[in-house]
Amino acid sequence: MKPVQFLKSFFIVLPFLMMGGLYGQIKQGVYVSDQGNLRHELKVGEAYLIHSTYEKSPAKFIKTVGGFYTTHDSMLQIKLEFNSDYQKDSLKTLDIPMRLDGNNLVLGSASERVFELQQANSQDLDGQWLFATRGPDEGQKRRGEANARKTLKFLIDGHFQWIAYHTETFKFSGTGGGSYSAQDGVYTENIKFFSRDDSRVGATLKFNYETRGDDWHHTGKNSKGEPMYEIWGKRK
């Protein structure tokens, strides 16, 4: 098979291989598998995971899927909340084989791919957050779990990703991600992929943050230099 044909076939099969069967308990964290310039990245929480695929240089976003997962026997079963390729493949669930190799994840059966667990880097803001409202908090109506229109931020071990989507229509509105730090009230993002504009990759954005109960108050200036105030609620 020619290399180009192989890659095309791989991308068709990968979504089914990504969320595969498992022996043992999945360790929470970030897992990476590189194939030359192509990166596959898994963010795995206690019951939620995201898989994103992108080219590193020149930057090119390819795909992201995510949702709630459970394990049963040797299978990992995922109920997707979003799928950037939904208009192409109509996938809302995934049920695929997977196994552990030490701390690494081996995905697929006939065509296996090894995902290496990255170094843990616990810090402020780790977790899942749903956009609630524009600040300041003056009692306005908030978006949350009950709202089908969601914007999710998933932060874990120094990696972040935001996704805008609709859980009923499966309309996908965009995503971006990369590395982050949160220390002494300063939140910094380093963008590594961005579905709406690949030219944004490489940018570093700094904001102020403050947590108040289950809320994250996110302030600073947006990409246009305009004042920004967002409130995000901790997803439970």
Side-chain angles (χ1 to χ4, degrees):
M1 182 181 291
K2 295 181 179 180
V4 173
Q5 292 175 322
F6 172 78
L7 287 175
K8 288 181 178 179
S9 298
F10 182 77
F11 282 124
I12 292 172
V13 174
L14 182 63
F16 296 95
L17 300 182
M18 281 300 309
M19 313 306 178
L22 171 70
Y23 302 99
Q25 182 64 41
I26 304 176
K27 187 174 182 178
Q28 296 180 48
V30 177
Y31 297 78
V32 167
S33 179
D34 287 333
Q35 181 184 13
N37 190 44
L38 184 67
R39 168 154 291 187
H40 300 275
E41 183 177 286
L42 273 175
K43 299 178 185 71
V44 181
E46 182 178 358
Y48 200 95
L49 59 78
I50 297 175
H51 165 231
S52 299
T53 310
Y54 58 95
E55 293 181 1
K56 293 179 287 185
S57 181
K60 182 181 179 182
F61 171 77
I62 296 174
K63 182 176 181 178
T64 190
V65 297
F68 298 95
Y69 73 89
T70 57
T71 60
H72 180 68
D73 294 331
S74 61
M75 302 302 292
L76 180 63
Q77 300 168 325
I78 305 93
K79 181 180 180 181
L80 295 179
E81 272 204 314
F82 61 87
N83 173 3
S84 62
D85 274 2
Y86 180 74
Q87 297 301 317
K88 299 177 183 178
D89 58 32
S90 300
L91 291 175
K92 290 186 177 181
T93 61
L94 297 168
D95 190 2
I96 312 107
M98 179 184 210
R99 64 182 176 86
L100 296 176
D101 182 7
N103 285 328
N104 296 333
L105 302 179
V106 182
L107 306 176
S109 52
S111 178
E112 292 187 334
R113 171 170 289 277
V114 178
F115 281 72
E116 297 183 356
L117 179 63
Q118 304 301 288
Q119 183 175 355
N121 180 21
S122 178
Q123 56 186 319
D124 283 354
L125 302 180
D126 275 356
Q128 297 173 47
W129 303 84
L130 288 174
F131 177 79
T133 186
R134 302 289 177 187
D137 189 356
E138 298 174 339
Q140 62 267 45
K141 185 176 180 180
R142 295 163 61 110
R143 280 163 50 188
E145 196 67 54
N147 197 308
R149 177 171 167 252
K150 290 180 171 63
T151 302
L152 170 70
K153 271 195 175 183
F154 190 174
L155 282 68
I156 183 170
D157 285 341
H159 295 252
F160 83 95
Q161 185 172 348
W162 64 265
I163 315 97
Y165 57 99
H166 196 288
T167 57
E168 293 178 358
T169 65
F170 258 65
K171 179 182 178 181
F172 175 80
S173 299
T175 190
S179 61
Y180 94 95
S181 63
Q183 187 175 7
D184 299 328
V186 178
Y187 171 74
T188 305
E189 292 181 347
N190 300 291
I191 300 174
K192 294 185 178 180
F193 60 91
F194 191 67
S195 66
R196 296 172 179 170
D197 183 0
D198 290 322
S199 69
R200 294 289 302 280
V201 172
T204 297
L205 306 175
K206 288 191 176 183
F207 305 93
N208 301 314
Y209 77 89
E210 179 184 357
T211 55
R212 302 179 190 174
D214 288 333
D215 284 350
W216 162 15
H217 290 248
H218 181 65
T219 60
K221 293 184 178 181
N222 62 21
S223 58
K224 297 179 181 179
E226 301 168 338
M228 180 200 70
Y229 191 155
E230 298 174 345
I231 300 175
W232 297 73
K234 194 69 173 287
R235 194 176 203 184
K236 298 179 179 180

